[in-house]
Amino acid sequence: MPDLRTPVLVIGAGLTGCVLALELAHHGVPSMVVERAARIPQQHELNLVSGRSMELLRRLGLAERIREHGVDPDSQAAVVWSRSIGRPPVLVTEVPSANELRRRYAGTTDGSTPVEPYTLVTGTGLTTRLRGVVREHPLIDLREGWTFTDLRVEPHRTVATVLDGGSRTRHLIEAGYLAGCDGAQSTVRRCLGVALETAAAPAGHCTIYFRTGALGHPYPGQSTIITSGVALTRQSGSDLWIGQFPLDPGDSTVTDPAALLLQRLGIRLDASQILGVTQWQEALGIAAAYRRGPAFLAGQSAHPFHPPSHSVDTCLGDAVDLGWKLAATIGGWAGPALLGSYQTERRQRAVLVRELLARSLEARQRFRRLAAAGASTAYLAGVLRTEPPQIDPSGTLPGSGPATSAVVWRDAGDPSPVARPGSRLPALRTSDGRQLYDLLGPQFTLLDLTDGEDGHTLVDIACARGIPMVHLGLRDAPTLARAGSGLLLVRPDHHVAWRGAGRPSEWDAVLDVVTGHRAQDPAIT
């Protein structure tokens, strides 16, 4: 018999697991988090937490806490394409500092820019801050040093076997739902028997963390140098370098990283200067299924893209999406399609990210081939300018919302491109300087821009059905001009679930669809 019970069991206390537990707690749902590592591992690589992800963290009161662990917000970044270290660059793409973008965002009035600018933070800094908040939260039971080993999935519950590393005691934990957030080598994914669908043949890579002052580098800020044989990242004002090396087919194991650095970069280092080596296979895999009954995959366990720093936004988005939908289901007001939409929405997003990553990797490979073939600097620069940026600091590119989700109400008769259902709500400011996002409720919010505040009655109907919804009436002129008049139903993740000019005759049908109780009538769409 299980000796421990919890509504939700989260396996893994990395980025995804911590944010998922905090999202559940944000909606009043307790959880238990099991983490194998008793201490947070050293992760030197910087993670780009985009502006969009910082918006989601802001909802949980975490944005400034994360930023405190990040690099200097006045530090610029750059992506430098060069034939080799020390040679003049072919192309330099500069990324403004976080504070510079904050100033630019303040002058943007159409809501397209994020509320928060990006931050760059090491994997260790990000996990340290998140796990500290999780450890202190009264609704979260964090068990560090506990290893998940097996899982039994039943129709309405899961039973996990875990081992307490300190006492060597084996426990059975019963949970209504289980979330596997245990990384690229996910034991949960293996227990569920879920295969990875890959986009390409696995390609070997090696990441080496090392310290040296021997590499000439004219860019003082945070920068990534992409050459014909390696991608190098250096933290601002530091001699710490992170090199990502594509491996030849025959290089199955890197036994001598110093020799590899000498061969590829022409620098000699002793063992004390090499801080770590990680080998990985990049096949851009995505789990064939994100769910088996009450068990789910999220983050790197669902899409083990490498290096993990390239998929921070996708992992965080998984956690928020699964968290609020689990909370709605546990709260009793969601229909089965709401939780079912987690796989549809998030897997669609992972496929999009995979395509962008594949194009980014191909751009690097093409650059390597063209440089080796003797292409001129002007030609190389022209080719690179046709590629999407290697860094997206905003995270608000088109296609990031659940536009085709079954739990978004679509009206074919409404052609307006502003705040279209499935898109992110414009991040507007009111005339007194308040952020619209800060005024939204924790669950659904009905943003009411009508003269008569028609939304009051609609919210009353929703609440009478047990659907938590906040009425937000605004007669603020700038908001009206940029968001459009009428009514906007906003989900907890800032996406618009429904839009209407006034009180709809089919409001109960709208509520049924956006809460997952039934599919939308095809005649309406």
Side-chain angles (χ1 to χ4, degrees):
M1 292 291 292
D3 57 318
L4 295 170
R5 290 175 173 81
T6 181
V8 182
L9 176 61
V10 179
I11 308 299
L15 165 68
T16 309
C18 285
V19 174
L20 173 56
L22 290 167
E23 179 70 23
L24 288 165
H26 180 63
H27 300 286
V29 175
S31 64
M32 178 183 291
V33 182
V34 170
E35 168 56 45
R36 177 178 59 188
R39 292 186 297 178
I40 296 173
Q42 286 295 313
Q43 298 169 311
H44 300 286
E45 193 159 1
L46 285 174
N47 294 264
L48 172 69
V49 187
S50 74
R52 173 59 186 146
S53 287
M54 293 297 284
E55 286 179 343
L56 293 173
L57 291 171
R58 180 186 176 107
R59 299 164 48 254
L60 305 177
L62 298 173
E64 288 308 310
R65 298 188 185 193
I66 297 301
R67 204 177 292 284
E68 289 172 0
H69 276 262
V71 302
D72 181 359
D74 286 317
S75 177
Q76 289 186 322
V79 177
V80 182
W81 296 83
S82 178
R83 296 177 190 271
S84 63
I85 294 293
R87 295 187 62 178
V90 171
L91 183 69
V92 178
T93 303
E94 295 185 350
V95 179
S97 71
N99 279 343
E100 172 60 26
L101 285 180
R102 189 187 295 275
R103 289 188 287 270
R104 292 186 191 180
Y105 294 167
T108 304
T109 58
D110 63 1
S112 61
T113 58
V115 171
E116 295 271 353
Y118 73 93
T119 191
L120 289 166
V121 58
T122 65
T124 299
L126 183 60
T127 304
T128 297
R129 177 57 69 181
L130 289 172
R131 198 174 295 180
V133 177
V134 164
R135 193 178 291 118
E136 297 170 0
H137 203 291
L139 288 178
I140 303 173
D141 182 2
L142 175 62
R143 305 294 179 103
E144 295 174 278
W146 285 36
T147 301
F148 166 82
T149 61
D150 201 5
L151 175 63
R152 185 171 79 248
V153 178
E154 300 176 359
H156 301 294
R157 69 167 189 169
T158 63
V159 179
T161 303
V162 299
L163 179 66
D164 179 348
S167 65
R168 309 303 297 176
T169 303
R170 194 171 299 276
H171 297 275
L172 294 180
I173 305 176
E174 178 186 318
Y177 299 93
L178 180 141
C181 307
D182 50 339
Q185 304 302 319
S186 172
T187 304
V188 174
R189 188 177 67 233
R190 176 181 56 79
C191 290
L192 295 177
V194 174
L196 289 177
E197 296 180 351
T198 59
H205 294 76
C206 174
T207 301
I208 303 178
Y209 308 89
F210 60 97
R211 293 190 181 278
T212 183
L215 290 174
H217 186 37
Y219 302 95
Q222 171 67 34
S223 54
T224 296
I225 309 170
I226 302 173
T227 73
S228 58
V230 63
L232 287 169
T233 301
R234 190 195 70 165
Q235 295 186 27
S236 177
S238 169
D239 63 353
L240 172 65
W241 293 80
I242 302 169
Q244 295 175 8
F245 300 85
L247 299 177
D248 296 328
D251 296 333
S252 59
T253 303
V254 176
T255 57
D256 191 346
L260 182 60
L261 290 171
L262 178 61
Q263 175 191 2
R264 298 288 183 91
L265 301 178
I267 58 174
R268 295 183 182 275
L269 301 181
D270 58 43
S272 65
Q273 294 174 280
I274 298 176
L275 307 182
V277 180
T278 303
Q279 280 190 245
W280 40 282
Q281 294 284 324
E282 182 56 278
L284 296 175
I286 298 177
Y290 278 31
R291 178 183 189 181
R292 288 281 190 263
F296 296 82
L297 298 174
Q300 283 282 305
S301 66
H303 39 80
F305 302 150
H306 288 273
S309 58
H310 288 182
S311 59
V312 167
D313 288 353
T314 317
C315 293
L316 196 149
D318 287 354
V320 170
D321 192 85
L322 180 58
W324 79 262
K325 290 172 180 176
L326 276 174
T329 302
I330 293 169
W333 56 270
L338 185 65
L339 195 50
S341 71
Y342 165 70
Q343 170 169 299
T344 305
E345 294 185 10
R346 296 311 303 170
R347 197 172 189 280
Q348 178 184 29
R349 177 62 180 168
V351 170
L352 174 61
V353 171
R354 177 170 69 182
E355 292 304 310
L356 294 174
L357 288 175
R359 183 166 179 177
S360 176
L361 290 170
E362 174 56 29
R364 297 185 184 193
Q365 293 164 1
R366 184 182 302 110
F367 176 75
R368 182 181 185 181
R369 294 191 299 267
L370 290 172
S376 69
T377 297
Y379 183 81
L380 288 171
V383 170
L384 292 172
R385 288 191 180 98
T386 66
E387 295 293 335
Q390 294 278 317
I391 297 177
D392 172 23
S394 72
T396 59
L397 293 177
S400 61
T404 60
S405 173
V407 293
V408 169
W409 181 277
R410 295 176 299 280
D411 188 347
D414 188 351
S416 173
V418 180
R420 185 183 297 276
S423 67
R424 166 180 164 271
L425 178 73
L428 301 169
R429 286 180 294 275
T430 61
S431 57
D432 59 2
R434 292 177 297 169
Q435 294 284 356
L436 177 60
Y437 279 15
D438 293 341
L439 305 178
L440 302 176
Q443 280 86 28
F444 279 106
T445 300
L446 187 64
L447 177 58
D448 188 350
L449 306 173
T450 64
D451 290 332
E453 292 196 343
D454 296 335
H456 275 298
T457 302
L458 301 180
V459 170
D460 289 344
I461 293 171
C463 291
R465 291 182 47 169
I467 302 170
M469 187 178 295
V470 171
H471 177 259
L472 178 58
L474 287 179
R475 297 301 304 154
D476 187 276
T479 306
L480 287 170
R482 295 168 191 131
S485 61
L487 299 163
L488 294 168
L489 183 60
V490 185
R491 304 188 337 176
D493 57 4
H494 302 149
H495 287 111
V496 177
W498 167 83
R499 177 179 65 183
R503 178 174 177 174
S505 58
E506 70 276 13
W507 181 238
D508 275 311
V510 169
L511 294 178
D512 284 342
V513 169
V514 300
T515 58
H517 284 278
R518 73 173 180 87
Q520 184 174 356
D521 184 347
I524 298 176
T525 60

